[in-house]
Amino acid sequence: MIAASNVKGEYDVHVFDSLCGSLGMGYMCREARELERAGKSVAEISARLEQIRASASLIITLATLKYAQMSGRVGGLRGMLGMMLNLKPIIQLTDGFLLPTEDKVRVRSKAFERITELSKERLGNAPIRLGVVHANCPDEAKTLAALARKEFNLAEPLVIQSLSIAIAIQLGPGTIGLVGYPV
């Protein structure tokens, strides 16, 4: 908002909080550009971005709690117990915050299945844009993508993308998940 106020008069800047990052924000930027090229007004573009923000889904799992504990996102005792039990936490983006679900999963393949189930609950059977985001685990990203292709009604080919560095640093390598929204 400060940057927009600094160029007021030179540029017509409209601030929009995506309440997400990484591929979720990328999808919103892409859709805004497509709408702008189609001649839609700022109000129409903003309304569509609000729809995407309200219906978007980001659900990820961590390979380990080690990095989340080091970054302060997980308390010491909880992190230590989680690491001892080899838990694969599942985290969902809710109102701009990454919040853990109640799921207690210990096997990576089961975490992928649960991410897919939760995403399916959120996104339903409507045509969607969907992507896999990952932090330095491209082979696992291909595995999750293959599972997702079977489960979802994809409006276009699924995308595999690196997770934003801001999230990857906090949650560590091996963090992986699904990002999508109804078209």
Side-chain angles (χ1 to χ4, degrees), residues 95-113:
D95 297 325
F97 296 98
L98 291 172
L99 302 174
T101 66
E102 297 297 319
D103 296 279
K104 304 286 188 260
V105 181
R106 295 177 69 180
V107 179
R108 191 77 157 164
S109 61
K110 295 292 183 195
F112 288 3
E113 289 173 12

Side-chain angles (χ1 to χ4, degrees), residues 51-123:
Q51 287 176 336
I52 293 171
R53 180 176 61 195
S55 64
S57 174
L58 167 66
I59 303 172
I60 59 177
T61 187
L62 285 60
T64 176
L65 283 168
K66 174 184 173 184
Y67 299 95
Q69 184 181 14
M70 288 181 354
S71 71
R73 291 199 173 264
V74 174
L77 181 59
R78 186 175 181 197
M80 186 176 66
L81 288 172
M83 284 189 288
M84 285 175 28
L85 295 171
N86 199 27
L87 292 178
K88 309 297 182 212
I90 297 179
I91 299 171
Q92 186 166 301
L93 184 70
T94 305
D95 297 325
F97 296 98
L98 291 172
L99 302 174
T101 66
E102 297 297 319
D103 296 279
K104 304 286 188 260
V105 181
R106 295 177 69 180
V107 179
R108 191 77 157 164
S109 61
K110 295 292 183 195
F112 288 3
E113 289 173 12
R114 187 64 182 137
I115 288 171
T116 304
E117 288 171 11
L118 290 169
S119 297
K120 188 80 168 176
E121 288 172 16
R122 175 96 174 138
L123 298 170

Side-chain angles (χ1 to χ4, degrees), residues 5-6 19 34 36 56-57 61 65 75 88 100 102-103 105 120 131 138 141 143 153 161 166 178:
S5 69
N6 287 339
L19 295 179
E34 289 171 355
E36 184 270 334
S57 174
T61 187
L65 283 168
K88 309 297 182 212
E102 297 297 319
D103 296 279
V105 181
K120 188 80 168 176
T143 300
N153 180 5
Q161 190 72 45
L178 294 174

Side-chain angles (χ1 to χ4, degrees), residues 1 14-21 24-25 28 46 49-54 93 95-97:
M1 291 174 61
H14 299 268
V15 178
F16 180 82
D17 188 348
S18 68
L19 295 179
C20 66
M25 189 183 330
M28 288 184 194
S46 294
L49 293 179
E50 288 171 10
Q51 287 176 336
I52 293 171
R53 180 176 61 195
L93 184 70
D95 297 325
F97 296 98

